[in-house]
Amino acid sequence: MAQGSGDQRAVGIADPEESSPNMIVYCKIEDIITKMQDDKTGGVPVRTVKSFLSKIPSVVTGTDIVQWLMKNLSIEDPVEAIHLGSLIAAQGYIFPISDHVLSMKDDGTFYRFQAPYFWPSNCWEPENTDYAIYLCKRTMQNKARLELADYEAENLARLQRAFARKWEFIFMQAEAQVKIDRKKDKTERKILDSQERAFWDVHRPVPGCVNTTEMDIRKCRRLKNPQKVKKSVYGVTEESQSQSPVHIPSQPIRKTTKEDIRKQITFLNAQIDRHCLKMSKVAESLIAYTEQYVEYDPFITPAEPSNPWISDDIALWDIEMSKEPSQQRVKRWGFSFDEILKDQVGRDQFLRFLESEFSSENLRFWLAVQDLKKQPLQDVAKRVEEIWQEFLAPGASSAINLDSHSYEITSQNVKDGGRYTFEDAQEHIYKLMKSDSYARFLRSNAYQDMLLARKKGKSLAGKRLTGLMQSS
């Protein structure tokens, strides 16, 4: 037998009358693979090969596959047979046991047939969590043949960062899979390991290889079966499924009729008339951002009064350093909370507003933590203690309002103080000021008066300049 148990020799194949052209292709390939594994009708000889220290079970050679294709499909050119074999291998139906690149070679390279459970016609759509479980499981199995390739190790590190919060769950799932695998027969386990690896070689291929799963077949299947539940390699993700997919015997392909052609023409005409243009949210955000900052871009809007790098007039720098901000700067403070924090004059104005509300300790704490990150290493411990005593210690002179979680983390961090001791507390205070104090500042009379005063001052200056030009 080629691999696995006999009850896995069949998978669910959709009715060709209701499926897409890709499903029809899968159906044809699976018919070839089924005949290729049928010993009674002269299939490819599957055998166990003895190596130096072990046995390699259920393998065929590339030469055997190529010769079978030429004989049974009436192919005269060996190159064409190799090409067809490579196309079948690229879909994952046949795979080399010692290589991640799914291709066909006309030599003694050993290949194995994929378990029908993993065939593409099942419309597999594995999640990244499934891939993380698989890679994590590979690291637990002390076998040279199961060592991660370089690209797999990089993928594992990337997935571990992406799923940091749920990595413990992923690790537990991988451990459970390893325990189950260890109960299986050694030969069966070796075959299943290679089949699972081949499945991921199709869905997460080696860098530089074509991903044959990136096609519309899955979308088509979802449209045909809206109630179909997305499956996982290790089980159904949303609903439990105790059995493997049931095989539906392949049926003869129905010939296309004139009525089918008419329906297809009607459908395509409707698609042509359909308005499909959609503006993505990212593009809308980018356009809005560009329009908002266009007057601050010196490449688009000339600087006023002039660009000091071109005219040698340093008046612009004097204005920027002045404590009397221009109307442009005042307007920019309203774009985002980060804009007002970046501007020294803006921070001063915001601090005065907070003082009027008796909550200036929030901004002073945020600024103190920012300054802490720039301190020399020998001064960090002392500065950490000063910040703690001023803002967070019991009875602090300028106590800030922290949630219990952030306070507990900060209390632990202070015991071994560093530049980022107050990171959690600073983030909490930042969000508090952004959502509460900053919004009130923009609505305050102080900011509105400053904004109107700068607009009025600019308009008066423009009138004076116009009058001088007319009189001259």
Side-chain angles (χ1 to χ4, degrees), residues 257-296:
T257 63
K258 292 182 179 179
E259 185 62 28
D260 293 333
I261 298 296
R262 289 195 192 97
K263 288 181 179 179
Q264 188 175 10
I265 292 172
T266 304
F267 173 77
L268 293 175
N269 285 333
Q271 292 299 311
I272 292 173
D273 296 334
R274 182 183 172 192
H275 181 68
C276 298
L277 182 63
K278 292 183 179 180
M279 181 70 73
S280 70
K281 294 296 181 183
V282 176
E284 289 178 2
S285 300
L286 182 59
I287 291 171
Y289 179 87
T290 305
E291 290 175 348
Q292 188 177 50
Y293 283 90
V294 66
E295 61 180 305
Y296 299 93

Side-chain angles (χ1 to χ4, degrees), residues 99-100 130-153 156 167 170-171 173-175 177-178 181-182 192-201 204 234:
D99 195 353
H100 288 278
D130 298 327
Y131 190 42
I133 292 171
Y134 164 70
L135 294 177
C136 191
K137 183 172 68 173
R138 287 264 299 276
T139 62
M140 299 177 185
Q141 296 169 322
N142 188 21
K143 300 286 184 182
R145 61 187 169 80
L146 295 173
E147 288 182 359
L148 296 181
D150 291 341
Y151 80 95
E152 289 177 319
L156 178 61
W167 192 253
I170 290 172
F171 187 84
Q173 291 288 319
E175 255 186 342
Q177 290 293 322
V178 170
D181 289 345
R182 284 173 181 165
L192 291 176
D193 286 340
S194 68
Q195 290 168 342
E196 190 176 14
R197 187 211 72 193
F199 171 82
W200 287 111
D201 285 342
R204 300 293 187 276
Y234 305 108

Side-chain angles (χ1 to χ4, degrees), residues 89-116:
Q91 302 295 332
Y93 289 97
I94 305 171
F95 60 90
I97 65 170
S98 58
D99 195 353
H100 288 278
V101 180
L102 302 175
S103 61
M104 179 62 61
K105 298 177 182 177
D106 187 9
D107 55 19
T109 303
F110 291 128
Y111 290 83
R112 189 170 282 146
F113 291 104
Q114 179 60 284

Side-chain angles (χ1 to χ4, degrees), residues 346-359:
R347 288 200 304 269
D348 293 342
Q349 293 294 333
F350 186 51
L351 183 61
R352 289 177 191 172
F353 171 76
L354 293 178
E355 288 172 349
S356 69
E357 291 196 335
F358 305 100
S359 59

Side-chain angles (χ1 to χ4, degrees), residues 400-411:
I400 58 174
N401 186 17
L402 274 187
D403 64 287
S404 58
H405 179 68
S406 299
Y407 186 83
E408 185 179 349
I409 293 175
T410 306
S411 301

Side-chain angles (χ1 to χ4, degrees), residues 74-247:
S74 301
I75 300 174
E76 297 180 359
D77 188 355
V79 176
E80 185 178 346
I82 295 171
H83 176 64
L84 177 60
S86 295
L87 291 177
I88 295 173
Q91 302 295 332
Y93 289 97
I94 305 171
F95 60 90
I97 65 170
S98 58
D99 195 353
H100 288 278
V101 180
L102 302 175
S103 61
M104 179 62 61
K105 298 177 182 177
D106 187 9
D107 55 19
T109 303
F110 291 128
Y111 290 83
R112 189 170 282 146
F113 291 104
Q114 179 60 284
Y117 183 70
F118 291 122
W119 280 357
S121 57
N122 272 325
C123 301
W124 283 106
E125 199 169 351
E127 302 286 347
N128 281 332
T129 49
D130 298 327
Y131 190 42
I133 292 171
Y134 164 70
L135 294 177
C136 191
K137 183 172 68 173
R138 287 264 299 276
T139 62
M140 299 177 185
Q141 296 169 322
N142 188 21
K143 300 286 184 182
R145 61 187 169 80
L146 295 173
E147 288 182 359
L148 296 181
D150 291 341
Y151 80 95
E152 289 177 319
E154 292 173 4
N155 288 341
L156 178 61
R158 179 177 56 80
L159 290 168
Q160 192 167 3
R161 289 193 299 271
F163 297 120
R165 294 186 179 180
K166 57 193 297 189
W167 192 253
E168 185 177 355
F169 169 77
I170 290 172
F171 187 84
M172 290 170 59
Q173 291 288 319
E175 255 186 342
Q177 290 293 322
V178 170
K179 288 180 182 177
I180 293 172
D181 289 345
R182 284 173 181 165
K183 295 177 182 179
K184 296 175 182 175
D185 178 71
K186 182 179 179 181
T187 302
E188 182 186 4
R189 187 166 67 244
K190 185 182 292 187
I191 294 172
L192 291 176
D193 286 340
S194 68
Q195 290 168 342
E196 190 176 14
R197 187 211 72 193
F199 171 82
W200 287 111
D201 285 342
V202 173
H203 291 271
R204 300 293 187 276
V206 179
C209 291
V210 176
N211 189 342
T212 57
T213 65
E214 291 180 348
M215 54 180 66
D216 291 334
I217 176 64
R218 292 173 293 178
K219 294 181 181 178
C220 292
R221 293 299 299 153
R222 284 199 296 272
L223 291 174
K224 297 291 182 183
N225 300 294
Q227 304 302 323
K228 188 176 179 67
V229 181
K230 185 186 291 184
K231 291 191 296 182
S232 161
V233 178
Y234 305 108
V236 177
T237 57
E238 295 180 9
E239 296 180 4
S240 61
Q241 180 174 331
S242 58
Q243 299 178 350
S244 299
V246 180
H247 175 60

